[in-house]
Amino acid sequence: AERTFIAIKPDGVQRGIVGEIISRFERKGFKLVGLKQLIPSQSLAEQHYAVHKERPFFSTLVNFITSGPVVAMVWEGEGVILSARKLIGATNPLQSEPGTIRGDLAIDIGRNIIHGSDGPETALSEIALWFEVSEVTDWIPSDYSWRTEK
Ligand code: GTP
Ligand code: MG
């Protein structure tokens, strides 16, 4: 099944809203298949944000993401990549719709509390970058057939 990489950034961890964020994905019905907390190394952060290398905010972004613990996750489910982006909301929290994670819980683009892969290819590469194969666990929720016909 489809999987995506989600990370609660240091601001989300410091603000004590890890549970709130995980709850939203759980209540939606997606399945948590990987979870760990770590302080990303400089190298990991630079690889993760490599597409933004030439942007003026790159070093600020890398400094921020390495400034404290991050909760790294892999979530699974049909359509999870796009759906997670919708749950997360627009990049700038002042433009994110109410009801989204950023729309409800953040006010600044540089403190937007959560990351989600933006497509199938980035999902695969980000999961491989942040997780060992053995750290991702497949399992079947006992209420699975109440969540989906498939
Ligand atoms: P991610 O899920 O974190 O990748 O966010 P995104 O896909 O909604 O946005 P994008 O990949 O374009 O940018 C990555 C991150 O860089 C954003 O989440 C912001 O934290 C940060 N960022 C993007 N644009 C700006 C900007 O103009 N200024 C600052 N300070 N940060 C920015
Ligand atoms: Mg992005």
Side-chain angles (χ1 to χ4, degrees):
E2 187 174 310
R3 290 176 171 173
T4 194
F5 174 71
I6 301 292
I8 304 174
K9 299 179 185 182
D11 49 343
V13 176
Q14 296 294 341
R15 291 176 52 199
I17 51 179
V18 168
E20 159 82 33
I21 293 169
I22 291 178
S23 272
R24 292 184 179 217
F25 285 88
E26 285 184 326
R27 281 152 52 202
K28 175 73 171 163
F30 292 128
K31 178 166 66 171
L32 183 61
V33 295
L35 173 69
K36 62 182 173 183
Q37 179 171 283
L38 71 159
I39 300 181
S41 65
Q42 184 83 7
S43 156
L44 175 58
E46 286 176 359
Q47 288 177 75
H48 176 75
Y49 281 126
V51 291
H52 299 304
K53 214 167 36 215
E54 308 303 335
R55 308 282 281 278
F57 55 84
F58 180 71
S59 60
T60 312
L61 185 57
V62 168
N63 287 341
F64 170 59
I65 203 80
T66 57
S67 68
V70 165
V71 171
M73 298 177 279
V74 182
W75 285 89
E76 183 181 298
E78 190 94 10
V80 69
I81 298 171
L82 187 59
S83 180
R85 296 281 293 186
K86 289 183 176 166
L87 291 174
I88 289 169
T91 308
N92 182 345
L94 293 180
Q95 259 117 56
S96 318
E97 294 296 328
T100 65
I101 292 167
R102 288 169 176 163
D104 288 347
L105 303 170
I107 55 172
D108 188 319
I109 194 165
R111 297 285 186 273
N112 63 4
I113 62 177
I114 183 167
H115 163 84
S117 305
D118 61 12
E121 280 160 31
T122 41
L124 281 177
S125 65
E126 289 172 359
I127 291 167
L129 178 65
W130 287 79
F131 283 87
E132 304 284 350
V133 171
S134 64
E135 291 175 323
V136 182
T137 316
D138 208 2
W139 62 289
I140 300 175
S142 58
D143 66 346
Y144 189 78
S145 65
W146 297 105
R147 304 184 192 196
T148 173
E149 292 188 312
K150 298 185 192 81

